[in-house]
Amino acid sequence: MIEDTIVTENVKSRLAGVLLPPGIGPFGGITAPVSDPAARTRRNGRKLCGDLDEAIRRSGLKNGMTVSFHHAFREGDKTINTVMERLAVLGFRDLTLAASSLLSCNAPLIEHIRSGVIRKIYTSGMRGKLAEAISHGLMAEPIHIHSHGGRVHLMDCGELAVDVAFLGVSTADEFGNANGVSGRSHCGSLGYAMVDAARAAQVVLITEEIVAFPNAPASIRQDQVDLVVAIGEIGDPSKIAVGAARMTSNPRELLIARLAADVIEHSGWFEDGFSLQTGSGASATATTRFLETRMVRKGIKAGFALGGITGGIVELHQKGLIGKIFDTQSFDAVAAESLRTVATHYEISTNSYANPSSKGAYCDRVDLVILSALEIDLDFNVNVITGSDGVMRGASGGHSDVAAGANLPIVVAPLIRSRIPTVVRRVTTVVTPGDTIGVLVTDHGIAVNPNRPEIAARLKAAGLPVTTIEDLYQRAIALTGEPEPIAFQDRIVGLIRYRDGSVIDVVRQVKA
Amino acid sequence: MIEDTIVTENVKSRLAGVLLPPGIGPFGGITAPVSDPAARTRRNGRKLCGDLDEAIRRSGLKNGMTVSFHHAFREGDKTINTVMERLAVLGFRDLTLAASSLLSCNAPLIEHIRSGVIRKIYTSGMRGKLAEAISHGLMAEPIHIHSHGGRVHLMDCGELAVDVAFLGVSTADEFGNANGVSGRSHCGSLGYAMVDAARAAQVVLITEEIVAFPNAPASIRQDQVDLVVAIGEIGDPSKIAVGAARMTSNPRELLIARLAADVIEHSGWFEDGFSLQTGSGASATATTRFLETRMVRKGIKAGFALGGITGGIVELHQKGLIGKIFDTQSFDAVAAESLRTVATHYEISTNSYANPSSKGAYCDRVDLVILSALEIDLDFNVNVITGSDGVMRGASGGHSDVAAGANLPIVVAPLIRSRIPTVVRRVTTVVTPGDTIGVLVTDHGIAVNPNRPEIAARLKAAGLPVTTIEDLYQRAIALTGEPEPIAFQDRIVGLIRYRDGSVIDVVRQVKA
């Protein structure tokens, strides 16, 4: 908005002979009033870029810098691939990619890693061909797998300094006010993006729709945004519920979900005003459904629900069984619509949600959480990242965050998946340390961490099928046999960062 | 939340022989699960202080540091005096007081300046006995008078680094989620406090009411707050509308207000979707009323209203004549109630509102603003801080911010007040440079800044009584005579900081 500078001599002369304090200068004049409509349009539209190339150029991005993205569109995301493709075409190299997570849809990144555009990756997880390729040694540097809260911690402690955040938003105005609840392709909560908007040196909004100023509510605010550019498509919201966030009709998953609801009911934490996070796994989502009858029967209501929000949680909220929703990621269209329209459904950043070094995270205040597992071992350590073949195919997510914070973290998992045991002697990869897990619920019974004897006593008193994790393990291998050890090479392809930034495990390259 | 640390040896052994990247350490264990209800209560309540003394002690405040406050309760504020009184009793010295503004109610601070508790002050303004005393040389160091946007700029550029912010909020939960719209004493928007909460090293919430976690909406968030303490009274909301923010039935003020509405109507900016800020002055507030009929007659609506919000603005919003409200300070109970209940009435920080070095401020996007003046001179320079006796008795506020940003800043003022001219040859103190002022509306006619000839042409074409500022000045002194120059001493008692941090004028000590 620099127009001609006018120096008002009459004003400046007032300071003649005045000795100002060190570091404080005299008034030097103002910029001219913008009475010319053309100048006004220029001023107001200064952040708006004609195309993505212009936005990239104006962001000041250079080789070796760090670019960031959010994954609220999950398998429907189009922003990451589109931007990385342009960065490749423009010849950028040695970039660090800091995505809040990566999914199967991000397979095109393989090419950009091969060609040297991407040198290093921070992400909560990976799936599909990209994960397969990285597990097989695609990258020279190991990938960093962090939790949602741990990502913010890595930013705040300086390790992960984002130079340019490219944030997909369904609508933005030309001044940078944006949300994920209006426009054509809404993802709902921008909980991940809010973190980057508050921390990146340059913030570029990638939007499908430029709306009239002032866009409100502003999940991302004009005072955080440098540049705004419209592209054809930022994401397909119909694919958000694909993958992790699905409903189930599988009888075994329903059995586990019912048992998990029983555990909650008798845990000692199921009192009026309790709080919960049920997440996005199939059994976890189903648990929400079974809670309803138990809450009605006992005449209690939940104070709040936290985290990734599904239609099931929204339904309980609509029925008055949950007081408030704190939504860091909307797992389906129902959740996104509720966030848009319901006053007591609040959008929160992943800093507020789970950053262990923030001044206060919701995950430290939640009572009951349902978590999933690819593997869980005799120490209750949980693996949510590597499959039984040693290939990465999951995400750390908020798993270790809420496990550390919640009053009772409950893992739900079938004892056996496709003839492969879930309960193992020693998990392939530790993402969440066992000491933070309270209960394991399987279709063959319930195991309680020995460090929570009061919980075991309550569940036994309620007549629930409580056994030991050793017993579940023996049952599993009796059915499947002890699995063959996975053949790994020595080379490390992934570092599993605990939420405090430490390395809790490494992932080694699988043998081809 | 530090409980016993448990180190899971089985997990740590996984990293045997692994060489980690520099600066990244191995997992060292977790804190124990909190199954003990007493430990849980301790963890959850860790921010809660038993009394103000404990909060002060735990904040780490030391002599010579900077403490900050907001003034949303205006003349009803009780937080500033209460906290400063305790700091005095506890023996603190040489503090810098950074209040978003000070009012007549803050007269007790005189004693703390005298006794050396307060050494330096940053504020937007002062009134009453405190202002009188400082104008007469109470302080060894000159006071810094800043604008609302300029205050944030001074914080962001490092000059004004707040060590401990003491923020009065009507309700807070024990974890630090707070707002100004619930509870007994609601001030409405916490626009000033939001800035300090985001920037101060230590944030202490001073509240009348500790409510159940999670308090929502959270204008100030748990991840910004270190300590929470309840005190008897933080402020009396019935006194918010005292002073600057009052309604008028004075015929001269109503005449000016009607003329200002005429100016708006014919300014060229009065089109569908226009935006406005009418502020808190008597004529300014009344102007809002006269706009209604003009909007209805022309069949247009305002896109948004900005800044300090009054019941008059809320009424237009309720009638659908204003689309959105962006509220940085609620000037009365009607505004506070609307903020609490109406989805399109948004709370914004003074960073979003007016910080000239933020990435985007609303004040740069507003079309029409009504501003007040104690004096305005032949260069259109405006004084809103010193009275005709040279004593400080006003506030910089958002005056220079919106004058610099708005498309048409309109000053409204009576030509003469109590036989003292408002239009003068040279204002006693420049707060807002004349080059940013578009139009002056008085009860004796309208003057347009020569740098806005297109506005003058439009108003003349509409038949409005447009004259020159020289003519208004001559009329004024014809009625009152040329005022005697004020007798000042050489000593500087105040530095007027323009919004960019520069010194635009100084205030000298008045002769006793």
Side-chain angles (χ1 to χ4, degrees):
Chain A
M1 60 173 286
I2 300 302
E3 306 293 322
D4 299 326
T5 293
I6 296 171
V7 177
T8 312
E9 289 305 329
N10 283 348
V11 172
K12 291 181 77 182
S13 68
R14 289 168 172 263
L15 297 178
V18 171
L19 188 67
L20 294 177
I24 300 178
F27 179 64
I30 56 130
T31 56
V34 182
S35 54
D36 169 18
R40 184 189 179 219
T41 303
R42 274 199 308 281
R43 182 187 76 168
N44 291 350
R46 67 187 189 268
K47 295 181 181 180
L48 208 54
C49 300
D51 58 23
L52 188 51
D53 286 13
E54 183 189 336
I56 293 166
R57 182 175 51 74
R58 288 176 60 190
S59 76
L61 184 68
K62 296 197 171 29
N63 291 345
M65 281 187 169
T66 298
V67 294
S68 81
F69 299 89
H70 73 78
H71 77 290
F73 279 101
R74 300 185 65 85
E75 288 295 4
D77 185 75
K78 294 179 182 176
T79 303
I80 302 177
N81 294 346
T82 302
V83 172
M84 292 312 301
E85 172 64 25
R86 282 317 298 169
L87 295 179
V89 169
L90 293 171
F92 283 94
R93 295 192 62 79
D94 293 329
L95 298 174
T96 294
L97 167 64
S100 54
S101 205
L102 296 169
L103 291 108
S104 302
C105 64
N106 297 117
L109 299 183
I110 295 172
E111 197 43 48
H112 306 318
I113 296 168
R114 265 200 196 113
S115 66
V117 176
I118 299 169
R119 185 176 51 80
K120 193 171 176 178
I121 293 179
Y122 284 82
T123 179
S124 161
M126 280 181 301
R127 293 172 202 272
K129 286 180 183 167
L130 173 65
E132 188 94 29
I134 291 173
S135 297
H136 282 88
L138 174 66
M139 298 191 70
E141 282 201 43
I143 191 167
H144 294 254
I145 302 287
H146 51 57
S147 72
H148 292 330
R151 179 174 191 259
V152 193
H153 172 77
L154 290 178
M155 289 185 180
D156 285 350
C157 73
E159 177 182 332
L160 186 52
V162 177
D163 295 295
V164 186
F166 294 97
L167 303 176
V169 294
S170 57
T171 65
D173 64 36
E174 62 184 5
F175 218 44
N177 296 295
N179 63 55
V181 294
S182 59
R184 194 170 65 237
S185 302
H186 20 103
C187 59
S189 174
L190 289 174
Y192 303 104
M194 288 160 79
V195 165
D196 299 37
R199 287 163 179 79
Q202 286 278 310
V203 175
V204 181
L205 295 185
I206 313 281
T207 187
E208 280 186 10
E209 209 172 321
I210 306 280
V211 298
F213 176 89
N215 193 21
S219 308
I220 296 174
R221 302 185 316 265
Q222 59 188 29
D223 55 35
Q224 303 176 311
V225 172
D226 297 279
L227 299 164
V228 180
V229 64
I231 66 170
E233 287 181 300
I234 59 157
D236 176 357
S238 74
K239 292 187 179 161
I240 292 175
V242 171
R246 65 185 166 87
M247 290 299 277
T248 183
S249 58
N250 175 318
R252 198 174 50 168
E253 288 174 339
L254 291 173
L255 167 66
I256 295 168
R258 190 174 292 113
L259 212 47
D262 289 337
V263 168
I264 287 176
E265 182 178 357
H266 300 290
S267 65
W269 297 100
F270 193 60
E271 298 293 336
D272 197 49
F274 80 102
S275 52
L276 77 164
Q277 172 168 337
T278 56
S280 67
S283 294
T285 306
T287 303
T288 311
R289 242 185 285 170
F290 292 112
L291 279 180
E292 180 178 344
T293 45
R294 286 162 174 79
M295 290 169 74
V296 172
R297 196 195 305 141
K298 196 170 178 187
I300 66 171
K301 292 171 184 175
F304 68 94
L306 178 64
I309 301 300
T310 59
I313 289 290
V314 168
E315 202 183 319
L316 293 191
H317 183 233
Q318 285 167 343
K319 290 177 176 169
L321 292 171
I322 294 175
K324 294 167 183 171
I325 296 178
F326 297 97
D327 185 343
T328 193
Q329 175 172 17
S330 307
F331 273 133
D332 53 37
V334 176
E337 180 61 13
S338 169
L339 178 62
R340 187 177 77 80
T341 53
V342 178
T344 48
H345 184 155
Y346 302 93
E347 185 178 36
I348 60 167
S349 74
T350 46
N351 185 53
S352 296
Y353 168 49
N355 178 6
S357 53
S358 87
K359 290 182 179 178
Y362 282 101
C363 75
D364 282 341
R365 297 298 301 252
V366 69
D367 292 324
L368 296 152
V369 299
I370 303 289
L371 298 166
S372 58
L374 291 171
E375 292 176 334
I376 181 165
D377 69 18
L378 298 181
D379 292 324
F380 287 81
N381 295 317
V382 178
N383 170 20
V384 282
I385 193 78
T386 45
S388 59
D389 53 359
V391 171
M392 290 184 266
R393 56 176 44 132
S396 172
H399 201 285
S400 66
D401 296 315
V402 289
N407 286 312
L408 185 59
I410 301 164
V411 169
V412 294
L415 190 68
I416 293 162
R417 285 189 182 94
S418 315
R419 303 205 49 76
I420 295 165
T422 302
V423 181
V424 296
R425 182 180 298 276
R426 190 178 155 87
V427 289
T428 309
T429 311
V430 179
V431 173
T432 297
D435 288 315
T436 61
I437 298 297
V439 179
L440 166 65
V441 177
T442 75
D443 47 342
H444 288 251
I446 297 162
V448 180
N449 193 319
N451 69 16
R452 302 299 296 270
E454 83 288 3
I455 301 294
R458 289 174 199 147
L459 300 186
K460 280 178 190 162
L464 296 185
V466 177
T467 178
T468 62
I469 190 121
E470 288 79 7
D471 174 55
L472 290 176
Y473 168 66
Q474 292 301 338
R475 286 199 216 187
I477 60 164
L479 291 163
T480 66
E482 178 85 42
E484 288 294 306
I486 304 166
F488 284 111
Q489 304 186 35
D490 275 349
R491 186 158 169 252
I492 293 169
V493 296
L495 297 172
I496 310 297
R497 310 293 298 271
Y498 190 55
R499 60 196 303 254
D500 63 4
S502 67
V503 175
I504 191 167
D505 207 347
V506 295
V507 180
R508 294 178 191 268
Q509 183 170 340
V510 292
K511 287 213 162 130
Chain B
M1 65 174 284
I2 299 302
E3 305 295 321
D4 299 324
T5 293
I6 296 172
V7 178
T8 312
E9 290 306 328
N10 284 348
V11 172
K12 291 181 78 183
S13 68
R14 290 168 171 262
L15 298 177
V18 170
L19 188 67
L20 294 176
I24 300 178
F27 179 65
I30 56 131
T31 56
V34 182
S35 54
D36 169 19
R40 183 188 180 220
T41 302
R42 275 200 307 280
R43 181 186 78 168
N44 291 350
R46 67 188 190 267
K47 296 181 180 180
L48 208 54
C49 301
D51 57 22
L52 189 50
D53 286 11
E54 182 190 337
I56 293 166
R57 182 175 50 74
R58 289 175 60 189
S59 75
L61 184 68
K62 296 196 168 31
N63 291 346
M65 283 188 170
T66 298
V67 294
S68 80
F69 299 90
H70 74 77
H71 76 291
F73 279 101
R74 302 184 65 84
E75 288 294 3
D77 184 76
K78 296 180 180 174
T79 303
I80 300 177
N81 294 347
T82 302
V83 172
M84 292 312 301
E85 172 64 26
R86 282 317 297 168
L87 295 179
V89 168
L90 294 172
F92 283 94
R93 294 193 61 81
D94 293 329
L95 298 173
T96 294
L97 167 64
S100 55
S101 205
L102 296 169
L103 290 106
S104 303
C105 63
N106 297 117
L109 299 184
I110 294 172
E111 198 40 51
H112 306 317
I113 295 168
R114 267 202 195 111
S115 65
V117 177
I118 299 170
R119 185 176 51 80
K120 193 171 176 179
I121 294 180
Y122 284 83
T123 179
S124 162
M126 278 180 303
R127 293 172 202 271
K129 287 181 183 165
L130 173 66
E132 189 93 28
I134 291 173
S135 297
H136 282 88
L138 174 66
M139 298 191 71
E141 281 200 45
I143 190 166
H144 293 255
I145 301 286
H146 51 59
S147 72
H148 292 331
R151 179 175 192 259
V152 194
H153 172 75
L154 290 178
M155 287 186 182
D156 286 349
C157 74
E159 178 181 331
L160 185 52
V162 177
D163 296 295
V164 185
F166 293 97
L167 303 176
V169 294
S170 56
T171 65
D173 64 35
E174 62 184 5
F175 218 44
N177 296 294
N179 63 55
V181 294
S182 59
R184 192 170 65 236
S185 303
H186 18 104
C187 60
S189 174
L190 289 174
Y192 303 104
M194 289 160 79
V195 165
D196 300 36
R199 287 164 179 77
Q202 285 279 310
V203 175
V204 181
L205 295 186
I206 314 283
T207 188
E208 281 188 11
E209 210 172 320
I210 305 279
V211 298
F213 177 89
N215 193 19
S219 308
I220 296 174
R221 301 185 316 266
Q222 60 188 31
D223 55 34
Q224 303 176 312
V225 172
D226 297 279
L227 299 164
V228 180
V229 65
I231 66 172
E233 286 181 301
I234 59 157
D236 176 356
S238 74
K239 293 189 179 160
I240 292 174
V242 171
R246 65 186 168 88
M247 289 300 277
T248 184
S249 57
N250 175 319
R252 196 174 54 165
E253 288 175 339
L254 291 173
L255 167 65
I256 295 167
R258 191 176 291 112
L259 211 48
D262 289 338
V263 167
I264 287 175
E265 181 177 358
H266 301 290
S267 64
W269 296 100
F270 193 60
E271 299 292 336
D272 196 49
F274 79 102
S275 52
L276 78 164
Q277 172 169 336
T278 56
S280 66
S283 294
T285 304
T287 303
T288 310
R289 244 185 283 171
F290 292 112
L291 279 180
E292 180 177 344
T293 45
R294 287 161 174 78
M295 290 169 74
V296 172
R297 195 194 305 142
K298 198 172 176 185
I300 66 171
K301 291 170 184 173
F304 69 94
L306 178 64
I309 301 301
T310 59
I313 290 289
V314 168
E315 200 182 321
L316 293 191
H317 183 233
Q318 284 167 342
K319 290 178 175 168
L321 291 171
I322 294 174
K324 294 167 183 170
I325 295 179
F326 296 97
D327 186 342
T328 193
Q329 177 174 12
S330 307
F331 274 132
D332 52 38
V334 176
E337 180 61 12
S338 169
L339 178 63
R340 189 178 74 82
T341 54
V342 178
T344 49
H345 184 154
Y346 302 94
E347 185 178 36
I348 60 168
S349 74
T350 46
N351 185 52
S352 295
Y353 168 49
N355 178 6
S357 53
S358 87
K359 290 181 178 179
Y362 281 102
C363 74
D364 283 341
R365 297 297 302 255
V366 69
D367 292 325
L368 295 151
V369 299
I370 303 289
L371 297 166
S372 58
L374 291 171
E375 292 177 332
I376 182 166
D377 70 18
L378 298 181
D379 292 325
F380 286 82
N381 295 317
V382 178
N383 170 20
V384 282
I385 193 79
T386 44
S388 58
D389 53 359
V391 171
M392 291 184 266
R393 57 175 42 129
S396 172
H399 202 285
S400 66
D401 296 315
V402 290
N407 287 311
L408 185 60
I410 300 165
V411 169
V412 294
L415 190 67
I416 293 161
R417 285 188 182 94
S418 315
R419 302 205 52 75
I420 295 165
T422 303
V423 181
V424 296
R425 185 182 295 279
R426 188 177 156 86
V427 289
T428 308
T429 312
V430 180
V431 173
T432 297
D435 289 316
T436 61
I437 298 297
V439 178
L440 167 65
V441 177
T442 74
D443 47 343
H444 287 251
I446 297 162
V448 180
N449 192 320
N451 71 15
R452 302 299 295 268
E454 82 289 2
I455 301 295
R458 288 175 199 147
L459 300 186
K460 281 177 189 162
L464 296 185
V466 176
T467 179
T468 62
I469 189 123
E470 288 80 7
D471 175 54
L472 291 176
Y473 169 65
Q474 292 300 339
R475 286 198 216 187
I477 60 166
L479 292 163
T480 65
E482 177 85 42
E484 289 294 308
I486 304 166
F488 284 111
Q489 304 185 35
D490 275 350
R491 182 156 171 256
I492 292 169
V493 295
L495 297 172
I496 310 296
R497 309 292 299 270
Y498 190 55
R499 61 197 302 254
D500 62 5
S502 67
V503 174
I504 192 168
D505 207 347
V506 295
V507 180
R508 292 179 194 269
Q509 184 171 339
V510 290
K511 288 213 162 128

